[in-house]
Amino acid sequence: MKTSKKLRSMLLTGTAALLLMSTVACGSGEKDAAEPEKVTLNIMHPWTSPNVDNEVYKERIAEFEKQHPDIIIKQDGVAATEYKTKLRTLAAANNLSDINVVWPGADLAPLVAGDLLMPLDGLMDNWKDILPEDALAGFNQNDSQFAVPTKQTFVDIIYYNKEMFAKVGYDQFPATYEEFIDAVKKLKEAGITPISLGNKEKWPLQSSFLSIIGDRYVGSDFLQKILNKEAKFTDPEYVKAIAVIDELAKLEAFNTDANNMDSVQGQDYFIQGKAAMHISSSTVDGRIRINNEEGDKFGIALFPSVPGGSGDPVKSAGVVQYGIAIKKGLSDEKKAAAEEFIKFFVNEDLYKDLISKGVVVPANVEIPEDASPYLKEMLELTNKGTAPVFDSVIPTQVTDVMQNGLQALTIGRGTPEELAQEVQEAFDSMK
């Protein structure tokens, strides 16, 4: 009898344990079923430098993950100097990230031709009230939209030290090329480095200098004529534009370590009062003036008119850039997550955040009354027409040849005529 009771007790205990385990298991299953599976999206971007807009972009990504705990954004930050090369390499292998930062025009075309990007036409109503057609045009191919832009960049802003220019007799920035060269010579005589240049990455001379100098000489339709084979880089007027870099190098206008200094170091060199000028993008105004206690001592200007030039001397070289694009062929889950991301990331809040940091945007959003007066000055300077940026029009393979050649000119290698010929040959050899 005792044994029977003991056995019955053991059986009851075992049954209870099994029921408990079953209940726990069922509960666990219900919990797992309630939790959605997380989706991971890879994004490749060039937001690695300390520019103010880069911080805004990364903050937006963090906020998206906070509001969308079921979506993980895995970032692949690539230095700006290496970004386009890596993008091109991944594209050739059909191995793009799920979301990519892309450039308009010549850089976007091969990605579209390779059927690598997802058309965004079904999403464009999200931006119909804030993005004008001209802001979207560079990312539109074959009547389809393939990316949404984040900012408007003017690459050719001349930041200058008012005190240094006043010291050599210029209370206003030079209005002509002759006056500009005169100021360069007088600054040298006064023991002041005329132009701070960080050209280690090679793009500054091509993008910030040649884009606008070329436009001053040959006008804003010349680069498109190159693509249409109606003009050549060897045309005499364009060679004159290249020769400006050569002349500045021979006048020792740049700091001696220009090719060993990157673009951010070039900015710092100027901010620290070691040079009278720095030519760079409107985005760096945040570092040079807006967030700088000594910002008032710096002015902004555009490259002056040139003798016999057919370009408009009040234009600034600008591009709508950092387009956000989605890879074609994603799974349904990833596609839905990527669409959710792009709608969140590029919206009115992003544009307002950028404006608050002094960054020019391509969107029709209200500029707050308390916006930095420096931003208002930048908008006034750049609202008189836009010239094309060299590397937003000319294919990367040709741009690389130009960049290498311009850097060589600064150390006395080659001539403007030889460089023009090399660049034209590179263009002619493209498939």
Side-chain angles (χ1 to χ4, degrees):
M1 188 74 180
K2 288 181 180 178
T3 303
S4 176
K5 286 183 178 179
K6 184 176 181 181
L7 178 62
R8 188 161 51 247
S9 175
M10 289 173 66
L11 288 171
L12 288 171
T13 302
T15 301
L18 286 170
L19 285 171
L20 178 61
M21 289 172 66
S22 175
T23 302
V24 170
C26 290
S28 175
E30 288 170 4
K31 183 179 180 182
D32 289 343
E35 287 183 358
E37 286 190 24
K38 292 193 175 185
V39 177
T40 298
L41 292 175
N42 298 306
I43 178 171
M44 189 170 82
H45 63 68
W47 304 325
T48 60
S49 68
N51 289 351
V52 291
D53 61 319
N54 292 348
E55 300 307 315
V56 171
Y57 301 137
K58 286 184 279 190
E59 287 170 5
R60 292 289 295 168
I61 292 174
E63 183 61 27
F64 176 82
E65 287 189 298
K66 182 179 177 182
Q67 295 188 28
H68 300 79
D70 55 328
I71 302 175
I72 299 169
I73 305 296
K74 187 175 179 181
Q75 300 182 54
D76 180 11
V78 181
T81 52
E82 303 165 9
Y83 186 86
K84 289 186 179 181
T85 299
K86 183 170 182 178
L87 185 67
R88 198 165 66 242
T89 301
L90 292 176
N94 193 18
N95 193 30
L96 290 179
S97 294
D98 303 320
I99 301 169
N100 299 272
V101 172
V102 297
W103 273 255
D107 287 303
L108 182 70
L111 301 177
V112 174
D115 201 25
L116 300 175
L117 300 180
M118 184 185 92
L120 303 178
D121 302 325
L123 302 175
M124 294 314 296
D125 278 353
N126 289 281
W127 302 282
K128 65 180 181 179
D129 295 328
I130 58 175
L131 284 177
E133 186 177 336
D134 59 350
L136 296 167
F139 297 103
N140 193 291
Q141 300 260 335
N142 307 320
D143 295 324
S144 283
Q145 195 70 32
F146 289 94
V148 183
T150 62
K151 70 172 183 176
Q152 170 89 40
T153 302
F154 294 95
V155 301
D156 61 327
I157 306 303
I158 301 179
Y159 298 91
Y160 68 98
N161 188 309
K162 299 174 185 177
E163 296 170 0
M164 290 181 179
F165 268 79
K167 187 175 180 179
V168 296
Y170 282 89
D171 293 327
Q172 301 273 338
F173 193 81
T176 67
Y177 185 66
E178 292 88 347
E179 292 178 349
F180 177 77
I181 293 299
D182 178 66
V184 166
K185 291 177 179 177
K186 287 178 177 176
L187 287 164
K188 282 292 291 183
E189 291 169 2
I192 300 169
T193 299
I195 304 173
S196 170
L197 173 64
N199 199 52
K200 181 179 180 179
E201 303 146 308
K202 299 181 182 178
W203 63 261
L205 281 177
Q206 166 268 124
S207 187
S208 293
F209 284 69
L210 189 62
S211 291
I212 196 59
I213 296 170
D215 194 81
R216 293 289 187 263
Y217 277 97
V218 297
S220 299
D221 59 351
F222 183 81
L223 295 180
Q224 187 58 49
K225 286 181 178 178
I226 291 281
L227 297 182
N228 297 340
K229 298 188 176 180
E230 299 168 356
K232 292 187 175 184
F233 290 107
T234 52
D235 288 356
E237 291 306 305
Y238 198 75
V239 174
K240 287 182 181 178
I242 298 174
V244 170
I245 307 297
D246 190 48
E247 180 175 14
L248 291 174
K250 287 174 178 174
L251 289 172
E252 299 180 345
F254 308 121
N255 43 295
T256 56
D257 53 353
N259 291 322
N260 295 317
M261 184 183 288
D262 66 29
S263 55
V264 175
Q265 291 171 317
Q267 297 165 28
D268 291 338
Y269 194 89
F270 172 73
I271 293 170
Q272 292 162 8
K274 297 177 181 179
M277 285 179 278
H278 180 68
I279 305 179
S280 189
S281 78
S282 53
T283 300
V284 306
D285 203 23
R287 297 194 73 222
I288 294 176
R289 301 195 303 166
I290 295 173
N291 299 322
N292 184 358
E293 290 182 0
E294 296 185 298
D296 283 346
K297 75 179 181 182
F298 302 120
I300 56 173
L302 299 179
F303 201 83
S305 62
V306 299
S310 58
D312 189 338
V314 299
K315 282 188 175 182
S316 179
V319 61
V320 176
Q321 66 174 163
Y322 286 173
I324 309 301
I326 298 174
K327 177 183 177 180
K328 190 172 184 179
L330 296 180
S331 66
D332 289 345
E333 293 79 11
K334 279 198 168 189
K335 179 184 175 183
E339 290 179 347
E340 191 67 25
F341 174 81
I342 197 172
K343 288 187 290 185
F344 176 93
F345 187 83
V346 188
N347 68 5
E348 190 168 352
D349 289 339
L350 171 71
Y351 295 127
K352 288 183 176 180
D353 286 346
L354 290 171
I355 289 172
S356 73
K357 301 293 185 182
V359 178
V360 181
V361 300
N364 294 324
V365 295
E366 187 175 345
I367 298 176
E369 291 184 7
D370 61 351
S372 167
Y374 294 123
L375 174 63
K376 295 176 182 178
E377 185 184 4
M378 183 69 71
L379 293 172
E380 290 174 6
L381 182 72
T382 57
N383 70 359
K384 301 175 183 66
T386 304
V389 176
F390 188 95
D391 57 359
S392 73
V393 178
I394 300 302
T396 304
Q397 303 93 309
V398 180
T399 297
D400 289 344
V401 176
M402 179 65 85
Q403 290 184 167
N404 291 334
L406 291 173
Q407 190 177 71
L409 285 180
T410 66
I411 55 174
R413 294 180 183 173
T415 67
E417 291 79 9
E418 289 170 346
L419 175 54
Q421 184 62 43
E422 290 171 7
V423 175
Q424 186 60 44
E425 288 173 359
F427 180 76
D428 291 339
S429 67
M430 284 187 58
K431 295 180 181 180

